[in-house]
Structure formats: structure tokens, C-alpha cells
Amino acid sequence: MAARVADLLKRHRVTHGAKFRLADCDPDDDGGAHLKTQADDLLAQTVEQIRALQEMLYAEDLWALLLIFQAMDAAGKDSAIKHVLSCVNPHGVSVHSFKVPSPEELDHDYLWRTTCRLPERGKIGIFSRSYYEEVLVVRVHPEILKSQRLAPELVTKRIWQERYEDIRNFERYLCRNGTLVRKFYLNMSEEEQRKQLLERIDEPEKNWKFSARDLEERALWKTYRRVYEDAIRETARPDAPWYVVPADKKWYARLIIAGAILETLESLNLRYPTPDPTLRREMAQARRRLLADRRGRHSRR
């Protein structure tokens, strides 16, 4: 990966959340020094390296990678995922978008529905929204807790701290079992969201994306910023870092996301599996048969 992108990742990666402040993160950051002129080439190179390493990840079948994307409405989660993972083998990638829980999901603990969708070894799993909704949307709208069928004595004053603890432990458990977790918060400004929502209204091909609820949630902007800051502060750890990605400039957000994925895959020192002696013998026998078959067909001509 280009050294320039690696340096930028340090600016946006949060591994110890105690002193994290969202106010210190500029949604309009673009890396400076005319990076945009190199961005297309850098992204293409990075995506190609991701493609090659994803093939090794799939072949080696030892590790899994879970990528979690969280953001306010219209921040560009789906387009970022599409651009960054556009050329990987689809057999090695799964994408899941989590919306309002179903009745079946509400009959289980809040981690159940996402646990069922975790990537297998050898694969990359992408969550567009995730179990973090339980300390984001549910915290902003505490009335949702009433629909979760929790016993009253479980809804304590410490419920959010308890859920942060659950999430930290869950992500540590995943890491210890070979699933690496990388989390991305697409940090969009309020003005940029206004522009994006207007596009959904004004451009016919984007009308399907519009929901009146988006404006209701936008009215709670400051509250959402506070709960996002708390969630990142409470769950950013070296083994499950957050990347607070400036999202006002989509080209820059995609470059940072791609760089983080590549850096993670490179850290695994992936290799294609070496055949064991039995397989080597079988391949040698198969090779002799295939060569003999070719000679036989030529002689019959």
C-alpha cells in the first residue's frame, strides 16, 4: 500500500477511546497536499491488492474479516462498499444490511441476529449497520427498549454501559477465534447530509432512497453525534479499532476505507496453502494421466 495512505490511516484510526472527541474529526478532511490528483490511481492499486489478498484469505481458510459500517443517513455506506470491494471474488464476500428487528429476532438477545450472519473462515463479511444500533438508535429512542421484551429488572440505569461491555467482550471473543473486526464510522457534516437528502428528492433516479423518517432523525443530529462519540469512545480497542472516516468527500472516504482493509489483510501474512504429501502424490499422478491423455489423442490423429 502506498506509504501516503498508510500515514493517513493513523490520523483516522481510533484504538484507545478514552480521550476521543468527535469534534476533533473534520468531516471535510481530504488528506491535503493535492491528494485528489492521485486518488484514482491509489484507489485502483489498493483495490487490486485487496483482490489478490482476498483470494489468499479464501484459499487459506484460517481467518475471517468483519467490516462494520455505521453512519447517519445519506453518508454513502453502500456506495463506499460497492467501490472498495468492486473486484473481489463474490464467493468470498457476504453483505448484510440490518434494519428494524423482526419478531423472531426480538425473541432472542440483541446480538443474535448479527451473530447468525458472521463471516465464515476465509471470507469477508460486511455489516451495513450492526449490533451497534443497540447503543445508537435504541439509545436515542429508548422507547424501543419496550419492544425488546426485556424483564423490567434488566433495564437498569447502567444498561448502556452494560451493552458497551457486552460489545467489547464479543469483539474480543471474535478476534480470539480468528475473526478480525474493523469498524468504520462515516463522519458526514450536517450540511453535506442536507445536500445528499435534497439529491434524493430532486433526482428521479434517487427518489427510491428517500424516506420522511430521514428528516425526523436529522432533527436529532446533536443527540446522534453524542451517542456515536460515546460508542466509539467505549468500544475502540487495538484488536477492534474504529476508523472515523471523513465522508464529505466520497473519493477520500473510499480511499481510507480501502487502505484500512488492505492494511488489515496484509497484517495476516496470508499464503496460499502448501499441498501435503498425499495431495502432492495425487497431483503428480493426475499430471501424468493428463499428459498421457494428450499424447494418446495426438497419436489417434
Side-chain angles (χ1 to χ4, degrees):
M1 183 176 59
R4 178 70 187 281
V5 178
D7 286 340
L8 289 172
L9 290 177
K10 298 175 185 176
R11 184 189 303 182
H12 305 300
R13 182 169 50 237
V14 184
T15 56
H16 298 87
K19 297 181 180 179
F20 174 74
R21 293 177 68 250
L22 201 46
D24 296 334
C25 305
D26 181 5
D28 199 41
D29 191 354
D30 63 359
H34 307 292
L35 180 64
K36 188 175 182 179
T37 60
Q38 311 165 41
D40 288 345
D41 288 340
L42 281 173
L43 182 60
Q45 293 167 19
T46 304
V47 168
E48 175 57 26
Q49 289 175 282
I50 290 172
R51 185 202 62 77
L53 288 173
Q54 186 256 340
E55 290 282 356
M56 292 185 189
L57 179 79
Y58 189 73
E60 194 174 45
D61 199 28
L62 292 176
W63 300 92
L65 176 58
L66 174 61
L67 307 174
I68 294 174
F69 290 84
Q70 295 285 161
M72 294 288 287
D73 295 313
K77 296 191 305 299
D78 292 342
S79 64
I81 293 167
K82 179 176 70 174
H83 279 79
V84 170
L85 296 169
S86 57
C87 70
V88 299
N89 184 340
H91 291 294
V93 178
S94 61
V95 181
H96 298 284
S97 180
F98 296 95
K99 301 186 184 300
V100 177
S102 69
E104 180 187 18
E105 289 167 344
L106 288 172
D107 268 337
H108 292 269
D109 63 273
Y110 73 85
L111 288 173
W112 180 81
R113 68 172 181 157
T114 49
T115 302
C116 292
R117 298 292 183 262
L118 288 171
E120 305 164 39
R121 296 190 194 281
K123 293 189 176 183
I124 297 173
I126 299 168
F127 286 178
S128 179
R129 305 193 186 279
S130 67
Y131 45 82
Y132 275 97
E133 296 296 283
E134 297 296 328
V135 293
L136 296 169
V137 175
V138 179
R139 189 174 173 192
V140 174
H141 299 281
E143 65 275 11
I144 295 175
L145 281 172
K146 296 178 182 178
S147 69
Q148 295 187 339
R149 303 172 192 171
L150 291 171
E153 57 266 31
L154 297 178
V155 185
T156 69
K157 293 180 179 179
R158 296 196 68 256
I159 190 168
W160 308 118
Q161 290 301 323
E162 290 166 353
R163 288 192 171 187
Y164 295 140
E165 182 181 1
D166 293 338
I167 290 170
R168 288 194 300 267
N169 290 338
F170 179 64
E171 291 176 347
R172 188 176 299 115
Y173 163 82
L174 291 178
C175 185
R176 288 173 175 170
N177 283 274
T179 297
L180 277 67
V181 182
R182 298 296 183 266
K183 301 167 293 190
F184 300 90
Y185 170 57
L186 274 61
N187 183 27
M188 175 178 57
S189 68
E190 193 170 7
E191 172 59 17
E192 181 62 22
Q193 188 195 49
R194 185 185 70 84
K195 294 177 182 178
Q196 294 299 322
L197 292 176
L198 276 173
E199 283 188 13
R200 292 183 176 186
I201 296 170
D202 295 339
E203 298 182 18
E205 66 274 16
K206 293 184 179 181
N207 288 171
W208 65 274
K209 295 182 179 182
F210 176 76
S211 169
R213 183 169 175 78
D214 293 344
L215 294 185
E216 296 173 11
E217 296 295 274
R218 176 176 165 81
L220 299 168
W221 182 271
K222 290 183 180 178
T223 304
Y224 269 107
R225 295 279 290 182
R226 176 171 57 82
V227 298
Y228 264 110
E229 181 176 85
D230 287 347
I232 295 168
R233 180 184 292 138
E234 293 287 344
T235 62
R237 295 293 183 273
D239 56 0
W242 277 96
Y243 290 85
V244 181
V245 181
D248 280 9
K249 293 181 171 60
K250 287 183 170 57
W251 64 266
Y252 185 68
R254 292 164 186 167
L255 185 59
I256 295 302
I257 292 166
I261 295 171
L262 177 57
E263 184 177 70
T264 303
L265 291 173
E266 287 179 332
S267 73
L268 296 176
N269 296 314
L270 298 165
R271 299 287 186 274
Y272 284 110
T274 302
D276 61 30
T278 300
L279 182 57
R280 285 185 181 278
R281 288 194 297 271
E282 291 173 349
M283 289 193 299
Q285 292 171 3
R287 186 174 189 276
R288 287 194 294 271
R289 290 178 62 181
L290 290 167
L291 289 174
D293 180 62
R294 180 185 179 188
R295 287 194 295 270
R297 284 188 290 111
H298 277 292
S299 64
R300 287 194 294 273
R301 291 177 184 173

